[in-house]
Amino acid sequence: MTARVRSANFRARLLIVVTLLTLVATALVVRAVDLQLLHNEFYQDQGDQRFLREIPIPTSRGAITDRNGEPLAVSTPVESLWANPQELLQHADRIGELARALDVPAEPLMQKIAQRANREFIYLRRHMNPERAQAVLELKIPGVFSQREFRRFYPAGEITAHVLGFTDIDERGMEGLEAAFDTWLSGEPGAKRVIRDRLGRVVENVDLVRPAVPGNDLVLSIDRRIQYLAYRALKSALHEHGASSGSVVVLDVRNGEILAMVNQPSYNPNAREFDDPGARRNRAVTDLFEPGSVIKPFTVAAAIESGRFHPGSVIETSPGTLPLAGHVIRDVHDYGRVDLTRLLTKSSNVAATKLSMELPDEHFYDVLQRFGFGRATGAGFIGENAGVLPQPRWGTLQKATISYGYGLSVTALQLAQAYAALGNGGRLHPPSFVRGAHDPPRTVIDPELAGTLLGMLETVTGTDGTAQRAVVRGYRVAGKTGTSRKAGVGGYDRRYISLFAGLVPASRPRFATVVMINDPQGRDYYGGLVAAPVYAQVMDGALRLLDVPLDDARGWLVDAPERPLPAPGMPPLEAELVPESIAGASPR
């Protein structure tokens, strides 16, 4: 009986064990079928995630060239070293060797890696020379890898720095045209799937997710040769006169294209660190100043257009002073009776004031605004300043000061645009940095009036004018000097802005150029002595570089001896400074 019971119990236990094993085996089979056949996509994906990686395919940023195809900004391939901290820390004894190869202290590198021990990716050094990066890889330090990237390079360095701006380490435009045209220049990185081994090395390319699309190239209106001429002449002038800063802008009168734009001080955009952030500012489009006497041609334009004056109208300026609204407007000399041409030749503040007193405020304002004062030029440069042109609710003194260049503020680019309109038969082109991308012009004054003003301005560079040093031998030059006092705390002080704005050849203008030099030191500070020589030097080179035909209507320019110039330190015959009696006064 006992034996039977034991036998029955054994069979029951055996049946239970067999049943359980059968159920487990069935469950395993069912699970295997489920994993292998029914839901294999999910688990395949989970497995692939541990071996498959989608990695970016770097692409180059579009190149920037000058109008002649000379490279101004290019992207060059470089290597960036990275590491897998988890793997590298398993071989911590080699971190010192890695530090020596990277030429960095070992302790900070160790701390950097240890602090990111839970990550799979950190940069060790970016944008390395490919040969140097390869030398580090040849050490075969576990967990250290490289990837291809691109770095922006500017062949002209600080000569084109303010126009181009620069990019950050990821090639995103940060300033200048690099920022303004960032979308156009930026490429679209591609992507591909690869299989990596446990060490992170790519062992197989699986699939191209999307191809890399390079950025678009950008052809500027800038002529690198003229840009260099302007840069060199401006830098030399600042050194000679101890000035703090300056700008030169050169426009093509025919279409508004910007051929050169330089500023001092400048900076090297190839350096990642900039010592002086202020040096990065494109002063030609951001910095405002009171233009002084270079505004007088537009005062004359408003007077003639009003119908109340004509070029031969005579204005009495004796005794060289004009009491007005409790102040005194002054000329440097008593010029007596002057017509409108002589007003510009001698730069008479008194005559300009008397003209403005006869003009309706709205008409005077309208003419200035038509020439682009008080509004941005539309050149597309990020951070461009629109200038200041007060609404025509002027008091007597304010209107007077505006007539000879105080009480309004402009940029160098605005002045160049306005003078280009005079040289283009009264048609104003918005300035453009892109070759061939200029907008149609708009007429701002009658072409006949523009031609008349051009002839008047040509006398300024004559033997009786204030800009004898702006002469370019072989060419007729029309222009205007300006010397304005700078406003300081409590009023105008003894610091100056020296200006010259000119058109050449005056017979058929090709270039409109503005030279602005800020705060010259020493005896010379008049625009005719400081800014005009820079203009002559830049234009002399530009006219010959572009093979502009010589003028022949005034052949004495070609063959005659040079004109006598004012002695160093002696002011030319101009009256461009703010009158002493209103220094510190706020125009009303």
Side-chain angles (χ1 to χ4, degrees):
M1 183 69 181
T2 302
R4 287 191 192 130
V5 171
R6 290 176 179 172
S7 177
N9 289 341
F10 174 77
R11 286 196 298 271
R13 287 195 296 272
L14 182 61
L15 179 61
I16 291 172
V17 171
V18 171
T19 302
L20 289 174
L21 290 174
T22 302
L23 291 174
V24 170
T26 302
L28 290 174
V29 171
V30 170
R31 184 59 173 162
V33 170
D34 178 69
L35 294 178
Q36 297 295 323
L37 300 177
L38 300 180
H39 297 95
N40 63 327
E41 293 181 359
F42 172 77
Y43 294 102
Q44 182 67 44
D45 180 63
Q46 292 295 304
D48 287 345
Q49 288 184 29
R50 289 155 177 77
F51 295 96
L52 277 178
R53 290 289 186 271
E54 184 174 297
I55 62 175
I57 302 174
T59 187
S60 62
R61 188 175 176 87
I64 301 178
T65 67
D66 82 339
R67 64 185 305 105
N68 301 311
E70 294 293 331
L72 301 178
V74 294
S75 292
T76 57
V78 291
E79 294 292 327
S80 291
L81 291 180
W82 63 278
N84 182 337
Q86 298 177 4
E87 181 179 357
L88 184 55
L89 287 172
Q90 295 177 12
H91 303 271
D93 58 312
R94 303 202 63 184
I95 292 179
E97 182 183 0
L98 176 62
R100 288 191 295 274
L102 295 175
D103 194 24
V104 297
E107 187 63 28
L109 179 61
M110 182 65 184
Q111 292 177 358
K112 175 182 176 180
I113 296 171
Q115 290 170 356
R116 297 162 177 80
N118 59 339
R119 300 185 184 181
E120 294 184 354
F121 180 97
I122 61 166
Y123 278 115
L124 296 173
R125 175 166 292 178
R126 300 187 67 181
H127 293 185
M128 294 181 66
N129 180 286
E131 288 76 14
R132 186 177 178 190
Q134 183 60 36
V136 177
L137 293 175
E138 288 176 355
L139 298 175
K140 299 188 182 301
I141 300 174
V144 176
F145 311 96
S146 74
Q147 68 181 35
R148 173 64 55 89
E149 290 189 308
F150 291 88
R151 176 173 180 168
R152 205 63 162 168
F153 177 66
Y154 302 94
E158 64 180 52
I159 296 172
T160 56
H162 293 109
V163 172
L164 300 180
F166 56 91
T167 62
D168 65 8
I169 197 169
D170 294 311
E171 286 215 313
R172 293 187 294 259
M174 301 302 293
E175 288 192 15
L177 297 183
E178 289 277 27
F181 290 91
D182 187 57
T183 302
W184 175 262
L185 293 165
S186 297
E188 292 289 338
K192 62 180 179 180
R193 289 193 183 93
V194 300
I195 295 178
R196 281 179 168 163
D197 62 15
R198 65 182 184 84
L199 299 179
R201 296 172 299 192
V202 175
V203 296
E204 182 181 350
N205 292 317
V206 176
D207 184 29
L208 178 64
V209 178
R210 60 181 179 276
V213 179
N216 300 292
D217 292 342
L218 181 64
V219 180
L220 300 185
S221 59
I222 296 292
D223 188 313
R224 190 173 70 169
R225 301 167 300 174
I226 301 177
Q227 182 84 2
Y228 173 71
L229 288 174
Y231 169 84
R232 183 181 63 182
L234 180 64
K235 189 170 186 178
S236 176
L238 261 64
H239 177 74
E240 178 183 354
H241 297 285
S244 61
S245 61
S247 301
V248 176
V249 177
V250 182
L251 297 186
D252 190 326
V253 168
R254 304 168 302 175
N255 49 36
E257 291 185 352
I258 300 170
L259 300 176
M261 178 181 285
V262 297
N263 301 277
Q264 283 291 333
S266 190
Y267 68 99
N268 182 6
N270 294 305
R272 290 295 180 192
E273 301 295 332
F274 307 116
D275 295 334
D276 181 10
R280 292 156 41 185
R281 191 168 70 249
N282 187 349
R283 299 171 185 271
V285 298
T286 64
D287 285 18
L288 296 178
F289 53 88
E290 291 179 301
S293 292
V294 292
I295 211 70
K296 288 174 182 172
F298 307 101
T299 301
V300 172
I304 297 175
E305 188 182 83
S306 72
R308 303 185 182 191
F309 298 89
H310 57 83
S313 296
V314 175
I315 304 169
E316 180 62 69
T317 67
S318 292
T321 59
L322 176 64
L324 187 70
H327 299 277
V328 179
I329 309 299
R330 299 181 185 274
D331 284 340
V332 169
H333 297 282
D334 178 0
Y335 298 120
R337 293 165 59 83
V338 302
D339 61 13
L340 301 195
T341 298
R342 191 164 177 80
L343 181 161
L344 296 176
T345 308
K346 293 300 185 182
S347 198
S348 171
N349 290 337
V350 172
T353 298
K354 287 190 172 182
L355 281 186
S356 68
M357 293 298 102
E358 299 296 324
L359 299 178
D361 292 0
E362 291 75 12
H363 174 69
F364 191 12
Y365 173 84
D366 179 58
V367 171
L368 293 175
Q369 191 177 59
R370 271 186 265 150
F371 276 98
F373 299 114
R375 60 176 67 178
T377 65
F381 198 93
I382 295 175
E384 180 183 2
N385 204 318
V388 177
L389 178 61
Q391 292 292 320
R393 294 184 290 273
W394 305 326
T396 301
L397 186 59
Q398 184 177 20
K399 186 176 181 180
T401 58
I402 288 175
S403 74
Y404 53 84
Y406 289 87
L408 76 163
S409 297
V410 303
T411 66
L413 181 59
Q414 282 180 317
L415 271 181
Q417 173 187 243
Y419 271 78
L422 289 178
N424 194 35
R427 297 181 298 273
L428 186 146
H429 279 279
S432 171
F433 284 99
V434 180
R435 183 177 182 181
H438 37 82
D439 295 328
R442 53 186 174 86
T443 300
V444 294
I445 57 170
D446 183 78
E448 184 176 348
L449 175 54
T452 298
L453 290 165
L454 196 61
M456 292 178 172
L457 289 171
E458 196 172 347
T459 67
V460 177
T461 62
T463 54
D464 202 26
T466 62
Q468 298 171 28
R469 294 194 176 189
V471 170
V472 180
R473 293 182 60 80
Y475 297 91
R476 295 161 54 186
V477 178
K480 187 71 189 75
T481 54
T483 311
S484 61
R485 280 195 182 147
K486 298 181 64 175
V489 178
Y492 292 95
D493 55 29
R494 291 288 181 178
R495 297 180 302 142
Y496 303 94
I497 298 284
S498 300
L499 288 157
F500 184 80
L503 295 156
V504 66
S507 57
R508 49 193 179 282
R510 178 70 182 276
F511 302 125
T513 303
V514 168
V515 179
M516 187 279 288
I517 296 181
N518 179 32
D519 202 14
Q521 304 296 311
R523 296 180 303 173
D524 295 340
Y525 51 82
Y526 285 94
L529 297 177
V530 177
V534 176
Y535 172 87
Q537 184 177 347
V538 176
M539 290 296 95
D540 182 67
L543 288 161
R544 285 157 178 75
L545 280 172
L546 272 62
D547 203 21
V548 177
L550 295 171
D551 278 314
D552 56 5
R554 290 168 66 183
W556 56 269
L557 275 177
V558 179
D559 302 319
E562 294 186 3
R563 302 174 181 178
L565 300 178
M570 294 297 294
L573 299 179
E574 59 186 359
E576 298 170 335
L577 304 185
V578 62
E580 294 284 352
S581 62
I582 65 171
S586 298
R588 297 186 297 275

